[in-house]
Structures are given as structure tokens and as C-alpha cells.
Amino acid sequence: MIRAKTNEMERESSPEKVEQILQGAMQEFLAHGFAGTSMDRVAAAAGVSKATVYSHFADKEGLFKALIERLARKKFQLIFGSEPLEGEPLEVLRQVGTRALEQMSTDQEHSAFMRVLIGESGRFPELAQICVNSMIKPTLVALKKYLASHPELKIRDPEAMARILLGSLVHFHITQEVLHGENIIPMKGDRIIDTMIDLLEKSVRAS
Amino acid sequence: MIRAKTNEMERESSPEKVEQILQGAMQEFLAHGFAGTSMDRVAAAAGVSKATVYSHFADKEGLFKALIERLARKKFQLIFGSEPLEGEPLEVLRQVGTRALEQMSTDQEHSAFMRVLIGESGRFPELAQICVNSMIKPTLVALKKYLASHPELKIRDPEAMARILLGSLVHFHITQEVLHGENIIPMKGDRIIDTMIDLLEKSVRAS
DNA sequence: GTCTATACTAAGATAGAC
DNA sequence: GTCTATCTTAGTATAGAC
């Protein structure tokens, strides 16, 4: 019969290969950056030939962009895409902050992603902007809305406050893990969070 | 006479060439990162031959490290190495913050330096640590000491507070300029500073 | 000390078989 | 669709002349 010409193993194996390629690309690009990564090593890490890589992605740049866009979505959901915020505001903020810090330091991939994203933001500005749009902006908007929806917190500028909260945590992560400062300027992340909550609490009392 | 053997143009022109090389290296490394930079282009940008570059620096890595260490010193002094802090504390903090934000966004070199430093921190951890030691740590220590020396600010954990203040500003700079988010999530830097000062002021009143 | 010319290696991308 | 083999360019580093 005619259908026999297409056996089970070869019909549309593309989706599978694409996934393999992206996995290999992730390993290599996150470890060595764009310029430091060779397509040979990507192919090897993916377990396919170089020609197969080029049959699914136009060139090195196309593969890189596809990977980063994919990772941007994934990272956002992993860190801030949890359950909706409910409960006593300051306690909620403490929990969210603690979870975010923990998630960032647990996930080794996250530090590597930040390195590549920031490191290549000069040569791939559109890519950086995609990440701003799909990670940073949604986080800031969610935080801002949460702060604004709790007038008892007496926050004049929720948008600016959201930046302060997020910035403090992300910068802490950058100095400690991304830049390997843990042993040079050691500090428990909880102190950042405690101090921020303390500030907010006093701010409520003073208003 | 014997001294004539050494004419004016050739005796010890090294320091001059070294400076040229470092200038060229800065231009190239800051624009393209470590792996993306070729020694050919460094030599061309420096206006010397490639062999001359190699006669002063062991290899590409050695040149890169020399450059980054040099820049770390320079950047710190440029942004935070100003006059000692005097005057009403909250007003001093506002001025320092404003100056820092302005300096960071004015100096195009600074964004490029952050990109390279963070981007290469995975492959050059020692280099990242040198920058933590010569830039971030001194800044945090100075801030902490300032905060601690003004008990009227009623700050329980000056060290953590220093991190919050610095982190908010640096993260703002990263999102707006380094990651090109200015048009996506626009905001005047003053709002960050105003909000932080407002928080500190209310914190004083509540204590 | 500095240059020109070159050895050697690796990388991006593709042609052609199956 | 996927592979092996290959073309071509570009990069690091050095040898040898001046």
C-alpha cells in the first residue's frame, strides 16, 4: 500500500528536532554568549548535524533570537507568574519578594540568561526590548496595580515604588550571583526585604 | 657623543603605544564584547600593528583584563568619587542620587561597560569580582557609613538600606538605557529619587 | 620596538548523497 | 529531512626584516 512509503520514524520529525536544537542552543548560548558560540557546538549539543540546524533556522542570529524570545516568556512565568496576590498587603509583598529572590538564586539558568541578555543588548537592541516588554514591564505593571489597589499603603507614586521594590531585588541578585560578589559583600537577601517592608510600614504610620 | 645613539623619537615610545592600544581596545571591547572583538580591529583602532599589540600584552585575554581593571577604577571615581557629603542628610542623598543617575545616563561609555562586565562575568568571574571590589563595595560602604553616621534617620539596617538605594538607581539605569526600555516603560528618574526620599522622611517621622 | 607577511585553526554556511 | 564533506572567510598568534 502507498502509505507504507512514509514509515513511523521519519514522518514529521521536525518538531522534535527543533526542540533538540533549541535545547542545544540554550546550553551553548547561555554559557558562551552570541559571538562565543559556534554552530558546530550547538549542533553537537543538540545531537543533530549542522545542516539540520540550518534547515530549521535561517542563520546563527535567527536561532539566537528564537531562543531568547522563548526564554523571556519562560523566565517571567517561572518567577512572577504565580498565583494572584491575596492577604495582608505587606505580608503578601514579603512573600512575593522572598519567592522571587529564592527563585532567581535557585535557578542557575536565570543568571546565565541575565548575562547574555544584558551582554548582547548592545548588538541586539530589539531583543532587549522584547524582554523588557515580556518580562520587566508586566512585572512592574502588576506590582504597580497591586500597590495602587491598596490605598491604605498610602503610596503616592505606585509606579516609582514598583521600580524601587523590583530594582532592589534584581540588583541584589546581580551583585551576589551574576557578578560573584557573595563572598566579597555577603548578605542574606532577607535583610533587603525586611528593610523594604519596614520602610513601607513606617510610611503607612506617618501618613 | 654616545647618547646620540638613542634619538628622541624612538626612546621608550612604549608608554605612548600602550595608551593607544588601550584606547583602541576600549573602543572595540566595549562595542563588541570579548569574543566579538578581533585583535586585528583592536590594532587598527589603536593605529598600530597587531604585532605591537602582542609585544605589550601576552594575549587577547591579558589585554581584556588590563582594560577592564582600568575602567573599573575610572568609572567608580567618575560617578561616586566626588566631594565628601555635607549638609542636611535627605537633601544630600537626593543630590547624590540625582548626580549618579545623570552621570550614568550621560556617559555612554558606562552603559557599554556594564554590558561587557555583566556579559563576560560568566567566563571571567575574577574580573567581575575585581569590579565588585573596586566599584560596588566602596560605594555600598560609603553609603552605609553615611547612613549610619546619621542616627536621626532612624535606619535600623544601614547596610541593607544602602543596597536598596543603590539597587533602585542602577536597576533603573539598566532597564531604561542598557536594555533600551526608555520608550517602552518611560519614566523620569527623579520619580525614583523623590519616592525614596519620601519613604525615608516618613520613616523618620514614624520612629 | 615596530612593522609586513604568514602559519595555523576555527567558524559560518552550503552542496549533494540518501 | 537529515547527514557527511567541503568551501570560504576570518581570527589568534608569531617569524623575520628594519
Side-chain angles (χ1 to χ4, degrees):
Chain A
M1 57 195 287
I2 296 167
R3 287 191 72 260
K5 256 187 82 181
T6 307
N7 77 37
E8 311 86 317
M9 291 276 78
E10 65 186 330
R11 55 122 196 253
E12 283 307 299
S13 61
S14 294
E16 198 177 311
K17 295 277 179 184
V18 168
E19 185 56 35
Q20 283 184 48
I21 294 168
L22 285 170
Q23 279 294 326
M26 181 171 76
Q27 193 182 117
E28 295 300 316
F29 279 125
L30 287 192
H32 308 108
F34 179 76
T37 294
S38 78
M39 294 297 264
D40 286 86
R41 292 181 60 158
V42 168
V48 301
S49 78
K50 201 158 50 159
T52 299
V53 176
Y54 278 99
S55 81
H56 290 281
F57 299 91
D59 52 16
K60 189 181 174 183
E61 198 170 313
L63 175 57
F64 182 65
K65 288 181 179 175
L67 174 73
I68 297 298
E69 291 181 23
R70 181 185 148 107
L71 277 177
R73 281 190 296 275
K74 182 178 159 193
K75 290 301 163 195
F76 169 71
Q77 293 187 339
L78 202 64
I79 295 187
F80 295 101
S82 45
E83 68 285 355
L85 316 164
E86 283 187 25
E88 206 275 304
L90 292 184
E91 203 43 51
V92 168
L93 287 174
R94 163 174 272 116
Q95 280 175 17
V96 171
T98 306
R99 273 183 56 98
L101 263 192
E102 197 180 301
Q103 185 56 246
M104 285 193 286
S105 64
T106 299
D107 183 10
Q108 272 300 90
E109 226 177 71
H110 190 266
S111 294
F113 179 64
M114 290 197 66
R115 284 190 191 108
V116 174
L117 177 64
I118 294 177
E120 307 295 348
S121 60
R123 272 186 295 178
F124 297 96
E126 343 79 61
L127 220 46
Q129 290 180 321
I130 287 174
C131 291
V132 170
N133 253 312
S134 62
M135 300 178 67
I136 302 175
K137 185 175 179 181
T139 304
L140 288 175
V141 168
L143 249 176
K144 167 200 160 185
K145 283 187 181 168
Y146 182 76
L147 296 175
S149 71
H150 288 271
E152 72 271 25
L153 290 175
K154 305 282 185 189
I155 295 172
R156 273 187 224 202
D157 191 339
E159 211 171 327
M161 185 66 78
R163 298 252 192 175
I164 292 171
L165 298 179
L166 179 65
S168 301
L169 297 187
V170 174
H171 185 260
F172 181 76
H173 177 249
I174 290 177
T175 58
Q176 305 304 104
E177 320 235 354
V178 177
L179 294 181
H180 309 98
E182 309 158 281
N183 299 317
I184 300 170
I185 40 177
M187 180 179 237
K188 281 192 68 179
D190 298 343
R191 280 170 66 187
I192 306 282
I193 295 176
D194 289 343
T195 302
M196 289 195 303
I197 301 294
D198 192 51
L199 266 183
L200 289 173
E201 196 202 34
K202 285 178 177 164
S203 166
V204 172
R205 292 216 304 266
S207 297
Chain B
M1 57 196 285
I2 295 165
R3 287 190 73 260
K5 254 188 84 179
T6 308
N7 78 38
E8 312 86 317
M9 290 278 77
E10 65 185 330
R11 57 119 197 253
E12 283 308 299
S13 61
S14 294
E16 199 176 310
K17 295 277 179 182
V18 168
E19 186 55 34
Q20 282 184 48
I21 294 168
L22 285 170
Q23 279 295 326
M26 181 170 76
Q27 192 182 117
E28 295 301 314
F29 280 125
L30 287 191
H32 308 107
F34 179 76
T37 293
S38 78
M39 294 297 263
D40 286 85
R41 293 180 59 159
V42 168
V48 300
S49 78
K50 204 160 45 160
T52 299
V53 175
Y54 278 99
S55 81
H56 290 281
F57 298 92
D59 52 17
K60 189 182 174 183
E61 197 170 313
L63 174 57
F64 182 65
K65 289 182 178 175
L67 174 73
I68 297 299
E69 292 181 23
R70 182 184 147 109
L71 278 177
R73 280 190 296 277
K74 182 177 160 194
K75 290 301 162 195
F76 169 71
Q77 293 187 339
L78 203 64
I79 296 186
F80 295 101
S82 46
E83 67 285 356
L85 316 165
E86 282 187 24
E88 205 276 304
L90 291 183
E91 203 42 51
V92 168
L93 286 174
R94 163 174 273 117
Q95 281 175 18
V96 170
T98 306
R99 272 182 57 98
L101 263 192
E102 198 179 302
Q103 185 57 244
M104 285 194 287
S105 64
T106 298
D107 183 11
Q108 272 301 91
E109 226 177 70
H110 191 266
S111 294
F113 178 64
M114 290 197 66
R115 284 190 191 107
V116 174
L117 177 65
I118 294 177
E120 307 295 349
S121 60
R123 272 186 296 177
F124 297 97
E126 344 78 62
L127 220 47
Q129 290 181 322
I130 286 174
C131 291
V132 169
N133 254 311
S134 62
M135 300 177 69
I136 302 175
K137 185 175 180 181
T139 304
L140 288 175
V141 168
L143 250 177
K144 168 199 159 184
K145 283 187 180 167
Y146 182 76
L147 297 175
S149 72
H150 287 271
E152 72 271 26
L153 290 176
K154 305 281 183 190
I155 294 172
R156 273 187 223 203
D157 191 339
E159 210 171 328
M161 185 65 79
R163 298 251 191 175
I164 292 172
L165 298 178
L166 179 65
S168 301
L169 297 187
V170 173
H171 185 259
F172 181 76
H173 176 250
I174 290 177
T175 58
Q176 305 305 104
E177 319 234 358
V178 177
L179 295 181
H180 309 97
E182 309 159 281
N183 299 317
I184 302 170
I185 41 176
M187 180 179 235
K188 281 192 67 181
D190 298 344
R191 282 171 64 190
I192 306 282
I193 294 176
D194 289 343
T195 302
M196 289 196 303
I197 301 294
D198 192 52
L199 266 184
L200 288 174
E201 196 201 35
K202 285 178 178 165
S203 166
V204 172
R205 293 214 303 266
S207 296

Coordinates of all heavy atoms in Angstrom, one line a residue, chain A residues 57-112:
Chain A
F57 N 16.6 26.9 11.0 CA 16.8 28.3 11.3 C 17.7 29.0 10.2 O 18.6 28.4 9.8 CB 17.4 28.5 12.7 CG 16.6 27.9 13.8 CD1 16.7 26.6 14.2 CD2 15.6 28.7 14.4 CE1 15.9 26.0 15.2 CE2 14.8 28.2 15.4 CZ 15.0 26.8 15.8
A58 N 17.3 30.2 9.8 CA 18.0 30.8 8.7 C 19.5 30.9 9.0 O 20.3 30.6 8.1 CB 17.4 32.2 8.5
D59 N 19.9 31.4 10.1 CA 21.3 31.6 10.5 C 21.5 31.7 12.0 O 20.5 31.5 12.7 CB 21.9 32.8 9.7 CG 21.0 34.1 10.0 OD1 20.2 34.0 11.0 OD2 21.1 35.0 9.3
K60 N 22.7 31.9 12.4 CA 23.0 31.9 13.8 C 22.2 33.0 14.5 O 21.6 32.7 15.6 CB 24.5 32.3 13.9 CG 25.0 32.1 15.3 CD 26.5 32.5 15.3 CE 27.1 32.5 16.7 NZ 28.5 33.0 16.8
E61 N 22.0 34.1 13.9 CA 21.2 35.2 14.5 C 19.8 34.8 14.7 O 19.2 35.1 15.7 CB 21.4 36.4 13.6 CG 21.0 37.7 14.3 CD 21.3 39.0 13.5 OE1 22.5 39.0 13.0 OE2 20.5 39.8 13.4
G62 N 19.2 34.2 13.7 CA 17.8 33.7 13.8 C 17.6 32.7 14.9 O 16.6 32.8 15.6
L63 N 18.5 31.8 15.0 CA 18.4 30.8 16.1 C 18.5 31.5 17.5 O 17.8 31.2 18.4 CB 19.6 29.8 16.0 CG 19.7 28.8 17.1 CD1 18.4 28.0 17.3 CD2 20.8 27.8 16.8
F64 N 19.5 32.4 17.6 CA 19.7 33.1 18.8 C 18.4 33.9 19.2 O 18.0 33.8 20.4 CB 20.9 34.1 18.7 CG 21.2 34.9 19.9 CD1 21.7 34.2 21.1 CD2 21.1 36.2 20.0 CE1 22.0 34.9 22.2 CE2 21.4 36.9 21.1 CZ 21.9 36.3 22.3
K65 N 17.9 34.6 18.3 CA 16.7 35.4 18.6 C 15.5 34.5 19.0 O 14.8 34.8 20.0 CB 16.3 36.3 17.4 CG 17.2 37.4 17.1 CD 16.8 38.3 15.9 CE 17.7 39.4 15.8 NZ 17.4 40.2 14.5
A66 N 15.3 33.4 18.3 CA 14.2 32.5 18.6 C 14.4 32.0 20.1 O 13.4 31.9 20.8 CB 14.2 31.3 17.7
L67 N 15.6 31.7 20.4 CA 15.9 31.1 21.7 C 15.6 32.2 22.8 O 14.9 31.9 23.8 CB 17.4 30.7 21.8 CG 17.8 30.3 23.2 CD1 17.2 28.9 23.6 CD2 19.3 30.2 23.4
I68 N 16.1 33.4 22.7 CA 15.9 34.4 23.7 C 14.5 34.8 23.9 O 14.0 34.9 25.0 CB 16.7 35.7 23.3 CG1 18.2 35.4 23.3 CG2 16.5 36.8 24.3 CD1 18.8 34.9 24.6
E69 N 13.7 34.9 22.8 CA 12.3 35.2 22.9 C 11.6 34.1 23.7 O 10.7 34.4 24.6 CB 11.7 35.4 21.5 CG 12.2 36.6 20.8 CD 11.6 36.8 19.4 OE1 10.5 36.3 19.2 OE2 12.2 37.5 18.6
R70 N 12.0 32.9 23.4 CA 11.4 31.8 24.1 C 11.7 31.8 25.6 O 10.8 31.6 26.5 CB 11.9 30.5 23.5 CG 11.5 29.2 24.0 CD 12.3 28.1 23.3 NE 12.5 27.0 24.1 CZ 11.9 25.8 23.9 NH1 11.0 25.7 22.9 NH2 12.2 24.8 24.6
L71 N 13.0 32.1 25.9 CA 13.4 32.1 27.3 C 12.8 33.3 28.1 O 12.5 33.1 29.3 CB 14.9 32.2 27.4 CG 15.7 30.9 27.2 CD1 17.2 31.2 27.2 CD2 15.4 30.0 28.4
A72 N 12.5 34.4 27.4 CA 11.9 35.5 28.1 C 10.6 35.2 28.6 O 10.2 35.5 29.8 CB 11.8 36.7 27.1
R73 N 9.8 34.5 27.8 CA 8.4 34.1 28.3 C 8.6 33.1 29.5 O 7.9 33.2 30.5 CB 7.7 33.4 27.1 CG 7.1 34.3 26.1 CD 6.2 33.6 25.2 NE 6.9 32.6 24.4 CZ 7.5 32.9 23.2 NH1 7.5 34.1 22.8 NH2 8.1 32.0 22.5
K74 N 9.4 32.1 29.3 CA 9.6 31.1 30.3 C 10.0 31.7 31.7 O 9.5 31.4 32.7 CB 10.7 30.1 29.8 CG 10.9 28.9 30.8 CD 12.0 28.0 30.1 CE 12.6 27.1 31.2 NZ 13.8 26.4 30.6
K75 N 11.0 32.5 31.6 CA 11.6 33.1 32.9 C 10.6 33.9 33.6 O 10.5 33.9 34.9 CB 12.8 33.9 32.6 CG 14.0 33.1 32.1 CD 14.4 32.1 33.2 CE 15.3 31.0 32.6 NZ 15.4 29.9 33.5
F76 N 9.8 34.7 32.9 CA 8.8 35.6 33.5 C 7.8 34.7 34.3 O 7.5 34.9 35.5 CB 8.1 36.4 32.5 CG 6.9 37.1 33.1 CD1 7.0 38.2 34.0 CD2 5.6 36.7 32.7 CE1 5.9 38.8 34.5 CE2 4.5 37.4 33.2 CZ 4.7 38.4 34.1
Q77 N 7.3 33.7 33.6 CA 6.3 32.8 34.2 C 6.8 32.1 35.4 O 6.1 31.9 36.4 CB 5.7 31.8 33.2 CG 4.9 32.5 32.1 CD 4.2 31.5 31.2 OE1 4.7 30.4 31.1 NE2 3.2 32.0 30.5
L78 N 8.1 31.7 35.3 CA 8.7 31.0 36.4 C 8.8 31.8 37.7 O 8.6 31.3 38.8 CB 10.1 30.5 36.0 CG 10.7 29.3 36.7 CD1 9.8 28.1 36.5 CD2 12.1 29.0 36.3
I79 N 9.1 33.1 37.5 CA 9.4 33.9 38.7 C 8.2 34.7 39.2 O 8.0 34.7 40.4 CB 10.6 34.8 38.4 CG1 11.9 34.0 38.2 CG2 10.8 35.8 39.6 CD1 13.1 34.8 38.1
F80 N 7.5 35.3 38.3 CA 6.4 36.1 38.8 C 5.0 35.7 38.3 O 4.0 36.3 38.7 CB 6.6 37.6 38.3 CG 7.8 38.2 38.9 CD1 9.0 38.3 38.1 CD2 7.8 38.7 40.2 CE1 10.1 38.9 38.7 CE2 9.0 39.3 40.7 CZ 10.1 39.4 40.0
G81 N 5.0 34.6 37.6 CA 3.7 34.1 37.1 C 3.0 33.2 38.0 O 2.4 32.2 37.5
S82 N 3.1 33.5 39.3 CA 2.4 32.5 40.2 C 1.0 32.9 40.5 O 0.4 33.6 39.7 CB 3.2 32.5 41.5 OG 3.5 33.9 41.9
E83 N 0.5 32.5 41.6 CA -0.9 32.7 41.9 C -1.2 34.2 42.2 O -0.3 34.9 42.5 CB -1.3 31.9 43.2 CG -0.6 32.3 44.5 CD 0.8 31.9 44.5 OE1 1.3 31.2 43.6 OE2 1.5 32.3 45.4
P84 N -2.5 34.6 42.0 CA -2.8 36.0 42.3 C -2.6 36.4 43.8 O -2.6 35.5 44.6 CB -4.3 36.1 41.9 CG -4.8 34.7 42.0 CD -3.6 33.8 41.6
L85 N -2.3 37.6 44.0 CA -1.9 38.1 45.3 C -3.1 38.4 46.2 O -3.9 39.2 45.9 CB -1.1 39.4 45.2 CG 0.0 39.4 44.1 CD1 0.4 40.8 43.8 CD2 1.2 38.5 44.4
E86 N -3.2 37.7 47.3 CA -4.2 37.9 48.3 C -3.7 37.8 49.7 O -2.8 37.1 50.0 CB -5.4 36.9 48.1 CG -6.2 37.2 46.9 CD -7.4 36.3 46.8 OE1 -7.8 35.7 47.9 OE2 -8.0 36.1 45.7
G87 N -4.3 38.6 50.6 CA -3.9 38.6 52.0 C -3.5 40.0 52.4 O -3.6 41.0 51.7
E88 N -2.9 40.1 53.6 CA -2.5 41.3 54.2 C -1.3 41.8 53.3 O -0.3 41.1 53.1 CB -2.0 41.1 55.6 CG -2.1 42.3 56.5 CD -0.8 43.2 56.3 OE1 0.3 42.7 56.5 OE2 -1.0 44.4 56.0
P89 N -1.5 43.1 52.7 CA -0.6 43.6 51.7 C 0.9 43.4 52.0 O 1.7 42.9 51.2 CB -1.0 45.1 51.6 CG -2.4 45.1 52.0 CD -2.6 44.0 53.0
L90 N 1.3 43.9 53.2 CA 2.8 43.9 53.5 C 3.3 42.4 53.6 O 4.4 42.1 53.3 CB 3.0 44.6 54.8 CG 2.9 46.2 54.7 CD1 3.2 46.8 56.0 CD2 3.7 46.7 53.5
E91 N 2.4 41.6 54.1 CA 2.8 40.1 54.2 C 2.9 39.5 52.8 O 3.8 38.7 52.5 CB 1.8 39.4 55.0 CG 2.3 38.1 55.6 CD 3.7 38.3 56.2 OE1 4.0 39.2 57.0 OE2 4.6 37.5 55.8
V92 N 1.9 39.9 51.9 CA 2.0 39.4 50.5 C 3.3 39.9 49.8 O 3.9 39.1 49.2 CB 0.8 39.9 49.7 CG1 0.9 39.7 48.3 CG2 -0.5 39.3 50.2
L93 N 3.6 41.1 50.0 CA 4.8 41.7 49.4 C 6.0 40.9 49.9 O 6.9 40.6 49.1 CB 4.9 43.2 49.7 CG 3.9 44.1 48.9 CD1 4.0 45.5 49.3 CD2 4.2 44.0 47.4
R94 N 6.1 40.7 51.2 CA 7.2 39.9 51.7 C 7.3 38.5 51.1 O 8.4 38.1 50.6 CB 7.1 39.8 53.2 CG 8.0 38.7 53.8 CD 8.0 38.6 55.3 NE 9.0 39.5 55.9 CZ 8.7 40.5 56.6 NH1 7.5 40.8 56.9 NH2 9.7 41.2 57.1
Q95 N 6.2 37.9 51.0 CA 6.2 36.5 50.4 C 6.6 36.6 48.9 O 7.5 35.8 48.5 CB 4.9 35.9 50.5 CG 4.6 35.3 51.9 CD 3.2 34.8 52.1 OE1 2.5 34.5 51.1 NE2 2.8 34.6 53.3
V96 N 6.1 37.5 48.2 CA 6.4 37.6 46.7 C 7.9 37.9 46.6 O 8.6 37.3 45.8 CB 5.6 38.7 46.1 CG1 6.1 39.0 44.6 CG2 4.1 38.3 46.0
G97 N 8.4 38.8 47.4 CA 9.8 39.2 47.3 C 10.7 38.0 47.7 O 11.7 37.7 47.0
T98 N 10.3 37.3 48.7 CA 11.1 36.1 49.1 C 11.2 35.1 48.1 O 12.2 34.5 47.7 CB 10.6 35.5 50.4 OG1 10.5 36.6 51.4 CG2 11.4 34.4 51.0
R99 N 10.0 34.8 47.5 CA 9.9 33.8 46.4 C 10.7 34.2 45.2 O 11.4 33.4 44.7 CB 8.4 33.7 46.0 CG 7.6 32.7 46.8 CD 6.2 32.6 46.2 NE 6.2 32.2 44.8 CZ 6.1 31.0 44.3 NH1 5.8 30.0 45.2 NH2 6.1 30.7 43.0
A100 N 10.7 35.5 44.9 CA 11.4 35.9 43.7 C 12.9 35.8 43.9 O 13.6 35.3 43.0 CB 11.1 37.4 43.4
L101 N 13.4 36.2 45.1 CA 14.8 36.1 45.4 C 15.3 34.6 45.3 O 16.3 34.3 44.8 CB 15.1 36.7 46.7 CG 15.6 38.1 46.8 CD1 16.2 38.4 48.2 CD2 16.7 38.3 45.7
E102 N 14.4 33.8 46.0 CA 14.8 32.4 46.0 C 14.8 31.8 44.7 O 15.7 31.0 44.3 CB 13.7 31.7 46.9 CG 14.2 30.3 47.4 CD 13.1 29.7 48.3 OE1 12.7 30.3 49.3 OE2 12.6 28.6 47.9
Q103 N 13.8 32.1 43.9 CA 13.7 31.5 42.5 C 14.9 31.9 41.7 O 15.5 31.1 41.0 CB 12.4 32.0 41.9 CG 12.1 31.5 40.5 CD 12.0 29.9 40.5 OE1 12.9 29.3 39.9 NE2 11.1 29.4 41.2
M104 N 15.3 33.2 41.8 CA 16.4 33.7 41.0 C 17.7 33.0 41.4 O 18.5 32.6 40.5 CB 16.6 35.2 41.2 CG 15.5 36.0 40.4 SD 15.9 37.8 40.3 CE 15.6 38.4 41.9
S105 N 17.9 32.8 42.7 CA 19.2 32.2 43.1 C 19.2 30.7 43.0 O 20.3 30.1 42.8 CB 19.5 32.6 44.5 OG 18.6 32.1 45.4
T106 N 18.0 30.1 43.0 CA 18.0 28.6 42.8 C 18.2 28.3 41.3 O 19.0 27.4 41.0 CB 16.6 28.1 43.1 OG1 16.4 28.4 44.5 CG2 16.5 26.6 42.9
D107 N 17.6 29.0 40.4 CA 17.7 28.7 39.0 C 19.0 29.3 38.4 O 19.1 30.4 38.1 CB 16.5 29.4 38.3 CG 16.4 29.1 36.8 OD1 17.2 28.2 36.4 OD2 15.6 29.7 36.1
Q108 N 19.9 28.4 38.2 CA 21.2 28.7 37.7 C 21.1 29.3 36.3 O 21.8 30.2 35.9 CB 22.1 27.5 37.6 CG 22.9 27.2 38.8 CD 23.9 28.4 39.2 OE1 23.5 29.3 39.9 NE2 25.1 28.4 38.7
E109 N 20.1 28.8 35.5 CA 19.8 29.3 34.2 C 19.5 30.8 34.2 O 19.8 31.5 33.2 CB 18.6 28.5 33.7 CG 18.8 28.0 32.3 CD 17.5 27.2 31.9 OE1 16.4 27.9 31.7 OE2 17.6 26.0 31.8
H110 N 18.9 31.3 35.3 CA 18.5 32.6 35.3 C 19.7 33.6 35.2 O 19.7 34.6 34.5 CB 17.6 32.9 36.5 CG 16.9 34.2 36.5 ND1 17.5 35.4 37.1 CD2 15.8 34.6 35.9 CE1 16.7 36.4 36.9 NE2 15.7 36.0 36.1
S111 N 20.7 33.3 36.0 CA 21.9 34.2 36.0 C 22.5 34.2 34.6 O 22.9 35.2 34.1 CB 22.9 33.7 37.0 OG 22.4 33.8 38.3
A112 N 22.6 33.0 34.0 CA 23.2 32.9 32.7 C 22.4 33.7 31.7 O 22.9 34.4 30.8 CB 23.3 31.5 32.2

